[in-house]
Structures are given as structure tokens and as C-alpha cells.
Amino acid sequence: MRFDVVQHLPALQVVIPLLGAVLAAFLRRGIVAWGLASVVTGLMPLIAGGLLWQVLQAGPISYHLGGWPPPWGIEYRVDVLNAFVLLLVSAVSAVMMPFARRSVAFEIEGDKQASFYSMYLLCLTGLLGITITGDAFNAFVFLEISSLSTYVLIAMGRDRRALLAAYQYLIMGTIGATFYVIGVGLLYLVTGSLNMVDIASRLGPASAEHFRPIVVALAFLTVGVSLKLALFPLHVWLPNAYAFAPSFATAFLAATATKVAVYLFIRIFFSIFGIAVSLESLRVCDVLLALSVAAMFIASVLAVYEQNLKRMLAYSSVAQIGYITFGIGLANQNGLTGGAVHLFNHALMKGALFLALGAVLYRAGTVKLAELGGIGRRMPLTFAAFVIAGLGIIGTPGTAGFISKWYLALGALDQGRWPLVFLIVASSLIALVYIGRVVEVAYFRATSEAAEKASDPPWNMLVPILVLAVATVYFGFFTELSAGIAAKAAQTLIGGLK
Amino acid sequence: MQHVQTFIGHYNYFITIFLMVSGLYIVIARGNMIKKLVGLALFQTSVYLLYIEPGKIIGGTAPILDPAFKVYSNPLPHVLILTAIVVGVATLALGLAIVARIHEAYGTIEEDEIFAREAQE
Amino acid sequence: MKLDLILRIGVKFLLPFVLLFALYVQFHGELGPGGGFQAGVITAGMVILYAIMFGVEAAKRIAPQRLVEVMVPLGVLIYAGTGVAGLLLGKNFLDYSVLAHDPPHGRELGIFLVELGVLITVSGTMTALFYAFSERGR
């Protein structure tokens, strides 16, 4: 038998970044490691795109690691939903890679840059692994791979408070991951299987006899993954972690890490439990909706009062994750489409916003709002991108953010809950306040000392920001790739529900 | 009598849950960063018990094929927990490394002292 | 320093047996309890014991910092490389059956290489951790 690339794409998706991370660990020079990381990251969207194309053509792919068939061996299972998330994660990181070189060289000491890229690739491995695997315990291992490398990435921040943020995240993240293992353990006790598809098929018959452990497992898994995806009120670790991590790490994590956790959440809810037990009767969706609405409002208000722009965007992330979980909580076709498409759109918009802040930090040396008067006039292109992505966060028509909120509103209307539509619009107005506050300072205040010396960053930092900003607009008009695929994914998820 | 039997029959789960909850309690209640990590390690370790206990079958032997034995213990939980132990060790080592750096940066590892110092600045 | 003479000599006698035991655990892993993880920790334990008795500097002469730091990714590379070898030979990732003339021998070889990678990484990591912490707070 010959080596056939197409057949092995699922394995390559994880193995290549893993090998890249290992090779980067041998390197000493930051620039070489950056080159390696760029090549590896650049390959990822090609593989993910190939997988998505295959899935759309021929249905789900099952790849047996070591040649052992499931449920005994570990299975990599790619369907529309995770091919979509794989493409999102890998494409956004590939777009961001050119930005990394100067930003990382500026923020991280020379001898630590190579290990930064090694940790970044390891984190990417973990995130892609969680997304692609069809094995619940394997997902835990990848979850920890990505989490452990994330803690290191955060601790590499310049400020000493980065260490505190990393410590806090380590404690909460480990509790979350351990809750996840407890949940998987209970499922294993009940069903005797770790393969997600196999668990789902065995859960139905088992639920008659062992209903209580199954509900407890659902509770543990929900809380565990919610900690990882920073569902309100389990978001406490997120603002500090994002505020003090190096700019590139912040942008990368904000765009990908929470999204993958959300994916895992959807997988657990709809592909494992939804098939066997009625989520409706457990009323988990109502709890989720209530928490999501709380996130949308409380986190947005906190963002309004925040002076550090990175922290402001971090709170905004918590609020936006609220919209995604809102869509999951609706648990109908339009709601789930809205959640999945917001996962995509939010990654683009937050990526652009955090990269723009990285550029501001690179040029002006600060991200405190009070010190940035008139920065918009000094860095016109960067702030143009910031404003476009900011409009997307608000949900202005013509940007990607509008599309996701439109589907969410439709989903709420389908359930006949029109007050929820009002809540979506009202919380978007708070986003208008915090984005507007930045615009006001950046364009209409007298030029401050820090802004005086600033100018647009070099092209290799600027292009990723602009690409993501343009994508925000593009996916506001052409939704075939975002909402179209999200709707397909939602259809399969809803179709399996009991 | 029935209940007492069920209670005693499941004694291993009570031990596991006791350890689990005490670990979690230490993580939440203690302000010392090292003690928090100790609690976290205890919490993680209790989960190992949760997996391994049901894998042991009374009278079962190690799962190496031999005509003399019919009943084998389940080897899978052990393998899973070996992985989880490695993850736990890595987490603990990273946590301790971060605490060591925090001690160098702040001169203390008491959370309330650090937060008080941060609030002053 | 005179008082711990017995300890010093005793440790020197002990070290080769610790290493031998580690190798036994490593190569007996397929037949009984053992394997790369355990053997790696025992090997690192030998270095740490030596460092405790004779100082970290002396330990760094037998296991230099740079070597230890290279060992950590090297083991993972051996592991992943074994998996990729199966991939390149036309089977799935981590399928060792094609590594030798027939599947059982291929799997034996594959497990051997993987365990070797685990031994290298675990012993390297444990020693590196010990070095890292022993240097702090001086």
C-alpha cells in the first residue's frame, strides 16, 4: 500500500502541528521558529478545507488511529460541524501568523521566543485535536494539551500580573477539565464506552435503568466545559488572562480557544445526550438561556466601565460567548445556526479587534483608553479595521455580526419568545456604548503623548488586521460559507435530537 | 438493613467523593497558592479512584491471556488513568513553576496579600 | 561532610542498581507491570538522588542541562515519528503492524520504539523539572 494524502488528512491535521511543536522546541532562534510555525499553520487550512470538501461531498469521515476500529480504538470523526470549526480555527490562525513575528519579537525576550512558538503550535494541536476526535477521553487529553500550553502562553506576558492570571486560569481550567473527566467517567461506568457515537447509541437503553448517573454526568460535563468556554458566571479567569497575555496569544486564544470549547459543548449536548435523553424535560436549555442573557448584559456593562482596552474586549468576549450559548439554548434550527455562525463571525471580529490592539501596543506602548486620545488619526488603517470589526460586534447590518444576530432572533421567534428578541437588540446597544467610547477617544480627543509618536504598523502586521476586518464585511453579505454550512451542521444536530 | 448494605457496599465511592470534595474545598477556601495546588492535586487524584475502582473485578486477574483464568479485570481504566496521572503531574509542575515565579515577582504567595498590593497600585 | 560518608558511599553503590532496575522496568513493560513512564521516573530519580547527595553541579556533569532539555522533545519526536512511519508505509497513523515483516513483530517493534520515546521524554522532563526548581530561590 502506498501513502495516500487524501485518506490520511484527519491524522495529518493533528500530527503536523504536533511535529511542528516538537521541532520548534529544539530551536533557539525566534525567527526560525516563527518560520516553522508559519509553514505549519499555513498547511492547516488546506487540510481543513480538504476535509470540509470531502465531508460535503461524501458525508462523515471516520479515521481509525492505529488501524483499530471503533469503539475499541480511538476514532477521528469529521462531520460538517467539526470540519467547519477546524477550518475556522486553522484559517484564522493562518491569517494571524504574519502578525506574530514583530509582535512577539516586541513583547517577548529573545531566548523565549522559540518556546513561545512551540507552545503556540502545541496549543493549536490541542485545539484541532479536541475538534477532530470522536473519543471522549481523547478529547480530555487534547483539552489538557491546549490548556497547559495556554497557561504558559499567558504567563509569558510582560506584566507580572500575567503570572497571576495564568495561575488563576490554571486553577479554574484544571477544575473544569477534571469535571469533564468525572463526567466522562460516569458515562463510561454507565455505557462501557468512550467513543462518542457509541456512547450516544448506548445511552438511550441505559437511561431507563441508570437515569441519575446520566444526569449527573451531564451536569459535570456542562459545568466543566462551561468553565473552559467562559460561560457567565464561570468567566472570572478570562478578563485577566486576555488582558495580560502577549497580544498575539490573546488574539489567537480569543479567536480559537473558546470557540473550540463551545464546539465541545455542542457536541456533548446534541451528539451525545440529545440523542438519548430529552434535553427539553431536563430544562437545561432554559438554564443556559438565562445564563446567556445574563452574560450578554452583565459582561457588556462591565466592558463599558473598563479602562484597559484589552480587558474591555475580554468582557465583550464573555458577552459574545453569551450569544453563542444563547443559540445553543434555543436548540432549534435557526437558533443553533445562529450560535454556530456567531462562533465563526465572532472569531473573525475579535481576532481583528485584538490584533488591532496588539498593533496599538506595538506603536503606542499602551492600551489604556485614557492615554490613547487621537490615536485613530495617527493609525488610520488600524483603526478603520477596529471600527469595522467593532460594528460587527454591535451587529450593524452589512457586517457579519448582523447575520448571526438575525438567525438568533429568528430562532427566538420560532419558539414564540419575542421578548428574547428585544433582549438581543438591547444588549447590542450596550456594545454600541463600549465600542463608541473607544471611537470617541480615538478620533475626537486631542492627540495624547502616546498617540503622538504612533503610526500604522508595518504591512506584515497590518495585513492580517485588514484581512479579518474585510472578512467581517464579506461574511455580512455572502453567507454561503458561514451561515450556509452552519445551517447544514445545525440540521444534522437537530435531526438527531430525541 | 437494605440501606446499610448498599451504604457499606459502596464504601469506595464514599471515600472517593470525600477526597474529591475535600480537594475542591481546599482549592476554594485556602489563600496560600501552594495549598491551593495541593487541594487541586487531591481533587484530581480522587478522580483516578473513580475510574480505577470499577475496573477491578473481584477474583479477576491481570488481563494477560492464559487458559488457567476466566475472569479478568478491566485494563482500560488503568491506561486512561496513566494518561490522566501524566496530565496531573504536568499541571502540578506548571502550577508550582508559576507560583515560584509569582514568589519572585511579588515576594509572597498569599493571595490576599498580592491582591491588596495590586489594589494599591 | 564527614558524617554522611556512609550515605555517600551507599548512594554510589545504589546508583547502578537503580539504573539497572529502570532498564528492567523499561524492557519488561510488555510482559509485566512497567514501561517507559515508570522507567523514566526511576532514571530521573537516580539523577535526583545523585544531585541531592553531591550537589546539582555534579549532577549536571552526568546529565547536562542542555542534554536534558533536548531529551524532552526528542522522546516525543521518536513517538510521533514511529506513528508517522506507519503512516508513510500506507497504514493509519500509529499503526505499527507494517514496521516489520509481519504484524505481530511490527507491533512489538512499534511498542518498543514508543516506550523508548516515553522513557527519554519522561526522564528528561523529570530531571529538567528538578533542575529548574533547584536553581530557584537561591
Side-chain angles (χ1 to χ4, degrees):
Chain A
M1 272 197 287
R2 294 268 322 285
F3 173 58
D4 176 17
V5 177
V6 176
Q7 194 195 334
H8 294 295
L9 284 181
L12 292 175
Q13 182 89 74
V14 180
V15 173
I16 292 179
L18 177 66
L19 283 176
V22 173
L23 290 176
F26 286 112
L27 297 173
R28 284 272 165 251
R29 297 213 20 212
I31 181 100
V32 185
W34 172 79
L36 178 70
S38 301
V39 171
V40 168
T41 316
L43 282 173
M44 289 301 105
L46 302 179
I47 296 174
L51 283 173
L52 181 62
W53 190 78
Q54 265 180 298
V55 168
L56 288 177
Q57 297 294 316
I61 305 168
S62 167
Y63 186 87
H64 307 160
L65 280 190
W68 305 107
W72 296 283
I74 292 172
E75 179 194 19
Y76 280 2
R77 194 177 168 78
V78 191
D79 62 10
V80 179
L81 177 65
N82 58 2
F84 178 63
V85 178
L86 285 175
L87 185 63
L88 166 72
V89 169
S90 50
V92 172
S93 7
V95 169
M96 284 179 177
M97 235 16 237
F99 182 90
R101 193 173 69 93
R102 279 172 192 274
S103 179
V104 169
F106 175 67
E107 288 180 40
I108 292 172
E109 293 156 40
D111 56 336
K112 288 188 186 150
Q113 288 172 21
S115 37
F116 178 89
Y117 288 114
S118 177
M119 285 300 127
Y120 154 76
L121 284 173
L122 205 56
C123 188
L124 187 66
T125 311
L127 295 175
L128 294 172
I130 299 170
T131 315
I132 206 168
T133 188
D135 186 283
F137 198 84
N138 196 227
F140 159 71
V141 175
F142 279 124
L143 189 69
E144 282 297 50
I145 289 178
S146 69
S147 305
L148 285 168
S149 43
T150 304
Y151 309 145
V152 180
L153 287 177
I154 293 168
M156 280 182 166
R158 286 196 297 185
D159 199 302
R160 64 176 182 175
R161 278 171 292 181
L163 294 169
L164 286 183
Y167 178 82
Q168 202 177 19
Y169 185 21
L170 180 129
I171 296 285
M172 297 198 72
T174 308
I175 292 176
T178 310
F179 268 49
Y180 179 83
V181 195
I182 296 173
V184 172
L186 290 171
L187 282 183
Y188 178 64
L189 291 183
V190 172
T191 63
S193 181
L194 290 167
N195 184 292
M196 289 181 187
V197 178
D198 198 39
I199 292 177
S201 66
R202 287 164 186 246
L203 213 50
S207 66
E209 203 183 340
H210 305 288
F211 191 63
R212 199 181 291 170
I214 291 175
V215 174
V216 174
L218 177 65
F220 270 110
L221 290 171
T222 309
V223 175
V225 181
S226 299
L227 261 166
K228 280 285 168 196
L229 66 85
L231 175 67
F232 184 88
L234 304 172
H235 68 280
V236 191
W237 58 269
L238 187 138
N240 281 332
Y242 282 12
F244 300 118
S247 298
F248 174 70
T250 306
F252 171 67
L253 294 173
T256 59
T258 43
K259 308 299 174 289
V260 169
V262 169
Y263 157 78
L264 191 58
F265 194 90
I266 296 178
R267 194 49 96 199
I268 290 166
F269 258 56
F270 293 98
S271 298
I272 298 182
F273 282 95
I275 293 173
V277 289
S278 163
L279 296 172
E280 198 82 347
S281 65
L282 290 173
R283 303 191 68 81
V284 276
C285 289
D286 291 336
V287 176
L288 198 57
L289 276 180
L291 292 179
S292 308
V293 171
M296 281 149 53
F297 279 91
I298 297 174
S300 299
V301 170
L302 288 173
V304 171
Y305 288 101
E306 191 53 60
Q307 283 303 313
N308 182 324
L309 285 185
K310 264 180 151 180
R311 267 176 77 98
M312 181 198 90
L313 288 184
Y315 276 118
S316 157
S317 274
V318 176
Q320 300 296 318
I321 289 163
Y323 288 104
I324 302 174
T325 49
F326 184 87
I328 301 171
L330 289 174
N332 58 18
Q333 171 69 32
N334 278 325
L336 207 52
T337 308
V341 78
H342 198 53
L343 191 121
F344 182 87
N345 294 337
H346 180 240
L348 300 177
M349 301 184 294
K350 257 310 145 40
L353 288 171
F354 272 118
L355 284 188
L357 279 193
V360 169
L361 187 67
Y362 181 72
R363 282 304 198 200
T366 176
V367 287
K368 292 222 173 66
L369 187 59
E371 297 169 12
L372 288 174
I375 189 86
R377 293 191 298 268
R378 289 281 162 184
M379 304 175 72
L381 288 172
T382 312
F383 262 83
F386 188 96
V387 170
I388 292 171
L391 288 175
I393 293 286
I394 299 164
T396 325
T399 60
F402 176 72
I403 305 292
S404 15
K405 284 180 184 165
W406 173 256
Y407 276 107
L408 289 176
L410 282 183
L413 285 176
D414 284 349
Q415 286 198 341
R417 292 174 166 175
W418 59 266
L420 291 179
V421 181
F422 170 74
L423 291 177
I424 294 174
V425 177
S427 60
S428 302
L429 290 178
I430 309 179
L432 181 64
V433 177
Y434 63 73
I435 296 290
R437 202 170 57 118
V438 180
V439 172
E440 194 259 329
V441 171
Y443 285 103
F444 304 109
R445 291 269 175 92
T447 310
S448 70
E449 203 180 320
E452 195 65 52
K453 58 179 195 227
S455 60
D456 268 325
W459 65 269
N460 52 4
M461 289 175 87
L462 198 55
V463 169
I465 304 174
L466 293 177
V467 167
L468 289 173
V470 169
T472 308
V473 178
Y474 176 86
F475 289 110
F477 290 101
F478 305 97
T479 58
E480 190 52 40
L481 188 60
S482 56
I485 296 177
K488 274 205 188 80
Q491 211 170 3
T492 41
L493 291 174
I494 296 290
L497 282 191
K498 186 174 181 181
Chain B
M1 201 57 209
Q2 178 85 44
H3 290 289
V4 177
Q5 231 168 15
T6 326
F7 186 86
I8 295 172
H10 290 81
Y11 75 96
N12 51 340
Y13 288 105
F14 288 98
I15 296 173
T16 308
I17 290 167
F18 175 76
L19 288 174
M20 205 179 270
V21 176
S22 21
L24 200 55
Y25 175 77
I26 296 170
V27 176
I28 296 167
R30 293 290 130 185
N32 184 304
M33 289 180 160
I34 299 276
K35 286 182 184 166
K36 264 183 190 291
L37 285 177
V38 171
L40 197 67
L42 187 60
F43 180 51
Q44 285 185 300
T45 312
S46 68
V47 181
Y48 308 162
L49 285 178
L50 181 77
Y51 272 72
I52 290 190
E53 283 157 1
K56 171 68 186 165
I57 294 164
I58 295 171
T61 175
I64 297 170
L65 276 183
D66 190 302
F69 298 106
K70 288 274 184 299
V71 186
Y72 297 108
S73 287
N74 186 355
L76 188 63
H78 297 80
V79 182
L80 298 177
I81 289 316
L82 186 59
T83 317
I85 288 173
V86 175
V87 168
V89 168
T91 311
L92 193 60
L94 182 59
L96 288 172
I98 292 176
V99 173
R101 290 270 307 275
I102 288 176
H103 184 70
E104 284 169 9
Y106 288 90
T108 175
I109 51 166
E110 294 293 334
E111 260 185 354
D112 42 356
E113 288 177 23
I114 292 173
F115 288 138
R117 213 169 294 178
E118 285 296 334
Q120 279 175 1
E121 284 172 14
Chain C
M1 279 309 210
K2 269 184 185 168
L3 284 175
D4 57 3
L5 190 66
I6 296 174
L7 218 52
R8 282 164 167 262
I9 306 258
V11 164
K12 275 195 175 173
F13 270 114
L14 212 54
L15 290 176
F17 292 103
V18 173
L19 188 60
L20 192 65
F21 182 61
L23 291 175
Y24 167 75
V25 169
Q26 166 79 12
F27 292 108
H28 201 252
E30 318 151 41
L31 305 170
F37 284 105
Q38 294 85 334
V41 174
I42 295 170
T43 313
M46 181 194 72
V47 178
I48 292 169
L49 183 63
Y50 189 75
I52 289 172
M53 286 316 300
F54 301 96
V56 178
E57 290 313 313
K60 278 187 181 171
R61 274 199 297 278
I62 55 165
Q65 178 103 29
R66 182 84 186 105
L67 172 77
V68 169
E69 279 170 11
V70 167
M71 277 165 77
V72 178
L74 181 68
V76 185
L77 195 64
I78 293 176
Y79 195 150
T82 313
V84 172
L87 197 69
L88 292 177
L89 289 168
K91 284 292 184 92
N92 282 2
F93 181 63
L94 289 179
D95 192 334
Y96 313 130
S97 57
V98 283
L99 293 179
H101 53 92
D102 62 347
H105 282 95
R107 294 214 173 90
E108 201 180 338
L109 179 64
I111 298 286
F112 171 78
L113 288 172
V114 163
E115 290 291 332
L116 184 69
V118 172
L119 170 77
I120 292 174
T121 293
V122 172
S123 55
T125 308
M126 287 296 159
T127 318
L129 282 177
F130 178 75
Y131 285 168
F133 281 109
S134 64
E135 277 170 358
R136 296 271 168 182
R138 283 260 173 99

